[in-house]
Amino acid sequence: MECRDDLLETAAVLDALALCHGQGSYLPRPYQESSTAVPRDGELRTDASDVADQLVHHDQQHGTSTTGDIPAGLEDGCTDSERDAVRAYARRERITRQERWSGI
């Protein structure tokens, strides 16, 4: 569970930072390095979705979801809406965890 807690916390922090930078697209998956400058906000959103995807895979493998309705994991060529779905899942998991710890 400690690994899951670390993934959940990291996903929550990256997601909050990404939300502060507004809406936008993600970098393609798989990302290929190029000489073209990468927008920082897109990179942040991509990192947030990649960590949330790790949480999704962990919960699928270990059955540790507290909210259920686990989205499909991300694959090469995934869409922005699939990336949004894994981030939203991580957000739901974090909110549920906070509510349980606070006794709400």
Side-chain angles (χ1 to χ4, degrees), residues 65-78:
S65 175
T66 57
T67 62
D69 196 24
I70 304 171
L74 300 177
E75 307 224 356
D76 289 353
C78 60

Side-chain angles (χ1 to χ4, degrees), residues 27-33 75-78 83:
L27 300 177
R29 187 177 180 144
Y31 177 71
Q32 302 290 324
E33 288 288 331
E75 307 224 356
D76 289 353
C78 60
R83 285 186 178 272

Side-chain angles (χ1 to χ4, degrees), residues 4-42:
R4 183 183 191 272
D5 289 344
D6 290 345
L7 284 172
L8 188 57
E9 292 300 317
T10 303
V13 169
L14 285 173
D15 186 58
L17 290 170
L19 288 170
C20 290
H21 284 86
Q23 299 297 318
S25 62
Y26 298 86
L27 300 177
R29 187 177 180 144
Y31 177 71
Q32 302 290 324
E33 288 288 331
S34 70
S35 59
T36 307
V38 176
R40 287 222 183 260
D41 56 344

Side-chain angles (χ1 to χ4, degrees), residues 3 7 10 14 19 37 41 48-50 56 63 72 84-85 89 92 96 100-102:
C3 176
L7 284 172
T10 303
L14 285 173
L19 288 170
D41 56 344
S49 69
D50 286 346
V56 164
D84 289 343
Y89 171 75
R92 284 192 312 271
T96 300
R100 287 185 179 176
W101 280 99
S102 65

Side-chain angles (χ1 to χ4, degrees), residues 71-98:
L74 300 177
E75 307 224 356
D76 289 353
C78 60
T79 65
D80 284 2
S81 63
E82 290 168 325
R83 285 186 178 272
D84 289 343
V86 295
R87 285 179 57 199
Y89 171 75
R91 215 174 292 134
R92 284 192 312 271
E93 289 290 312
R94 175 71 170 124
I95 290 167
T96 300
R97 182 172 181 259
Q98 283 180 308

